[in-house]
Amino acid sequence: MSLSDRPILIKKVKKVVGGGHHGGAWKVAYADFVTAMMAFFLLMWLINTTDPEQKKGIAEYFAPASVSATTSGSGGILGGTALGDEGAKGDGSQSVETQMAPDAPTDSSDAASQNASLDASSEEAQREAAEFASAAESLRQAMQAMPELAELSKQLIIDQTPEGLRIQLVDQEGRSMFDQNSARPNPRAQLLLRTISRVINQLPNRISITGHTSAAPGSNRATQPNDWPLSSARANASRLILQGAGVDPDRVYQVSGKAGSDPLYPDDPTLAGNRRIAIVLLREAPVLPTDTSL
């Protein structure tokens, strides 16, 4: 057979674009899913790490700012713009406005004087509190600086009360300020009182001295009849020690005894710490010198 007589065969190849069912479209969908899940878990993590105040701030940031509650008109699109409850759906009654009488004008000079007095009293209170704090710190430093006083520092309680700066000489078990049933301070108490007098002399405030006793062990009553004169006598003996150390007698405002009526430890009135002398530098104006010309 010659070459011209051979049949001609035509082969057609069909090309599939995209790989048919083995294409990459699913990869795009899977990537979107993974991205969405990552964003979801990131959002959950951020929610768990924010505190309530931050969440409130985020909510306010995304809240629509243009929406506001109003009572003007009827609430519809064409409901009117009246500045009240009347509108297209109102009941037809006319609103009544009541005009209150104007307030009486205040005297500017009185208001200014009141404000000035308040500011002055506030500044005075702050200054006095600072002076009390400085006096308390100087007393603590004096107690630590002297070896004979360092061991007695636990028997001093210093604090500020509404009445003023309070310094308390407190008995400890085996370390009392007075002998039993005696009104005379022992050498330990006298040393503490002389040290306290240095702090008292730094300030011009008047002082109040109060004596306290403890309840007798096994007693049904917190206060014994003899405790009243004993506590008063101990407060007065402390006053004499302070005056002997240089405290002006005119600065002594009150000397009193409370026996066991005001225990430092109410849960156990028999504790030694309830026996004490309380010296208070009162919150008030300084004592003016006596005019001897009259």
Side-chain angles (χ1 to χ4, degrees), residues 186-229:
N186 58 26
R188 184 185 301 107
Q190 294 181 24
L191 181 60
L192 286 175
L193 288 170
R194 293 191 185 98
T195 305
I196 294 173
S197 66
R198 304 174 190 173
V199 177
I200 295 177
N201 290 330
Q202 294 177 5
L203 300 175
N205 304 68
R206 294 192 292 177
I207 62 175
S208 171
I209 308 173
T210 306
H212 300 267
T213 60
S214 62
S219 176
N220 294 327
R221 294 181 299 173
T223 303
Q224 299 297 318
N226 295 332
D227 288 347
W228 292 101

Side-chain angles (χ1 to χ4, degrees), residues 1 10 34 47 61 97 108 122 153 164 179 181 186 212 253:
M1 181 182 294
I10 300 175
V34 172
I47 291 176
Y61 176 80
E97 295 182 0
S108 59
S122 177
S153 60
D179 295 334
N181 296 325
N186 58 26
H212 300 267
Y253 172 71

Side-chain angles (χ1 to χ4, degrees), residues 7-267:
I8 299 174
L9 299 177
I10 300 175
K11 186 179 180 181
K12 294 184 179 180
V13 180
K14 184 178 181 182
K15 295 183 180 180
V16 179
V17 180
H21 62 280
H22 297 290
W26 64 275
K27 298 179 182 179
V28 178
Y30 181 73
D32 293 341
F33 171 75
V34 172
T35 303
M37 291 299 295
M38 183 180 63
F40 172 75
F41 286 113
L42 181 61
L43 177 62
M44 296 297 293
W45 176 77
L46 290 174
I47 291 176
N48 291 330
T49 56
T50 54
D51 53 24
E53 294 183 356
Q54 292 175 339
K55 293 178 182 177
K56 183 179 178 181
I58 295 173
E60 292 178 352
Y61 176 80
F62 288 101
S66 60
V67 178
S68 60
T70 178
T71 59
S72 63
S74 62
I77 299 178
L78 301 176
T81 57
L83 297 179
D85 294 335
E86 301 84 8
K89 295 184 181 180
D91 56 2
S93 60
Q94 185 177 3
S95 62
V96 179
E97 295 182 0
T98 304
Q99 183 176 4
M100 302 297 292
D103 296 334
T106 57
D107 192 350
S108 59
S109 60
D110 293 342
S113 61
Q114 291 178 0
N115 293 334
S117 62
L118 290 175
D119 293 341
S121 61
S122 177
E123 293 178 358
E124 180 69 17
Q126 294 178 0
R127 181 192 61 80
E128 194 173 46
E131 290 179 350
F132 284 164
S134 176
E137 184 61 26
S138 63
L139 179 57
R140 294 188 183 96
Q141 291 178 358
M143 295 290 295
Q144 298 297 329
M146 302 177 63
E148 61 272 18
L149 292 177
E151 61 178 6
L152 302 178
S153 60
K154 296 181 179 180
Q155 296 187 246
L156 275 184
I157 300 177
I158 308 171
D159 58 354
Q160 291 196 35
T161 67
E163 295 180 349
L165 178 64
R166 182 175 61 181
I167 305 171
Q168 297 186 95
L169 285 74
V170 181
D171 279 8
Q172 286 185 333
E173 198 66 36
R175 288 178 174 269
S176 61
M177 297 289 102
F178 299 84
D179 295 334
Q180 186 174 3
N181 296 325
S182 174
R184 178 176 176 80
N186 58 26
R188 184 185 301 107
Q190 294 181 24
L191 181 60
L192 286 175
L193 288 170
R194 293 191 185 98
T195 305
I196 294 173
S197 66
R198 304 174 190 173
V199 177
I200 295 177
N201 290 330
Q202 294 177 5
L203 300 175
N205 304 68
R206 294 192 292 177
I207 62 175
S208 171
I209 308 173
T210 306
H212 300 267
T213 60
S214 62
S219 176
N220 294 327
R221 294 181 299 173
T223 303
Q224 299 297 318
N226 295 332
D227 288 347
W228 292 101
L230 180 61
S231 60
S232 300
R234 288 179 173 178
N236 190 50
S238 301
R239 174 188 64 85
L240 295 177
I241 298 296
L242 292 175
Q243 291 180 188
V247 176
D248 189 354
D250 293 335
R251 295 182 56 189
V252 179
Y253 172 71
Q254 183 181 23
V255 178
S256 61
K258 291 188 176 182
S261 62
D262 186 17
L264 185 62
Y265 303 99
D267 295 338

